Amino acid sequence: MATTRVGKSTMMDAAISLADFVTSEQSRARAVKEDAILIVGDGTSPYGGMTGIKTLLDDSNYSVGKVAAASGHDTFPEVDASDVAKLMGQLPVYARAGARFVCSGVFEANVFGRLKLSAGGNTNQTLQGRVLEADYGGFPITVAHDMPSGAGT
């Protein structure tokens, strides 16, 4: 449910553009909530009784979905291409169509951005222009607000 308070004179002066604005803002708020449910939902009523991906992966009963980085690679700046390749290799072939990375903006910059910029043949010109959604290793990267974002995570 969403509510928006609008003054009567504002509503009368610009009804169509106001309706567009309200619809956009409420849609964005709903999308942010859906992302939170998908990622950190804990099964309680604020999350519609649903459990998110990160919550499940933090549960030891779902450890088969985890891939450990190399020893000593426990922060974003330490994750390397081998760690990401190990993760990609864990994905079953049947699940690759439509698969994507979901991470925080900090992870996207500190890991994927660093790896792409340090790879031979890449320049700033070949990496620009995909601000909202980049890719790595052929898989799209989606930045989500509710993913861990501390560089030391």
Side-chain angles (χ1 to χ4, degrees), residues 51-150:
T51 305
I53 296 166
K54 183 183 176 310
T55 305
L56 289 172
L57 289 174
D58 287 342
D59 185 336
S60 62
N61 292 321
Y62 297 92
S63 61
V64 73
K66 297 178 186 178
V67 176
S71 179
H73 293 193
D74 53 2
T75 63
F76 292 170
E78 296 168 341
V79 173
D80 63 17
S82 297
D83 297 325
V84 178
K86 184 178 177 183
L87 173 66
M88 291 166 55
Q90 186 71 17
L91 185 65
V93 174
Y94 68 83
R96 292 184 182 189
R100 66 180 46 246
F101 292 106
V102 178
C103 61
S104 67
V106 175
F107 186 93
E108 195 272 332
N110 284 312
V111 177
F112 293 125
R114 173 178 45 85
L115 293 175
K116 288 190 290 187
L117 287 171
S118 66
N122 281 322
T123 65
N124 285 334
Q125 287 76 26
T126 62
L127 298 173
Q128 72 184 8
R130 308 256 337 250
V131 174
L132 295 178
E133 186 173 88
D135 58 55
Y136 184 84
F139 294 99
I141 301 168
T142 298
V143 174
H145 299 288
D146 291 294
M147 293 300 286
S149 60

Side-chain angles (χ1 to χ4, degrees), residues 15-45:
I16 293 175
S17 60
L18 182 63
D20 183 48
F21 172 76
V22 169
T23 301
S24 295
E25 288 300 306
Q26 289 184 357
S27 297
R28 189 178 343 274
R30 181 179 174 96
V32 168
K33 182 66 174 183
E34 287 174 346
D35 286 352
I37 292 169
L38 173 70
I39 296 165
V40 296
D42 60 6
T44 61
S45 60

Side-chain angles (χ1 to χ4, degrees), residues 6-19:
V6 179
K8 186 176 182 179
S9 63
T10 303
M11 188 171 70
M12 295 176 87
D13 290 342
I16 293 175
S17 60
L18 182 63

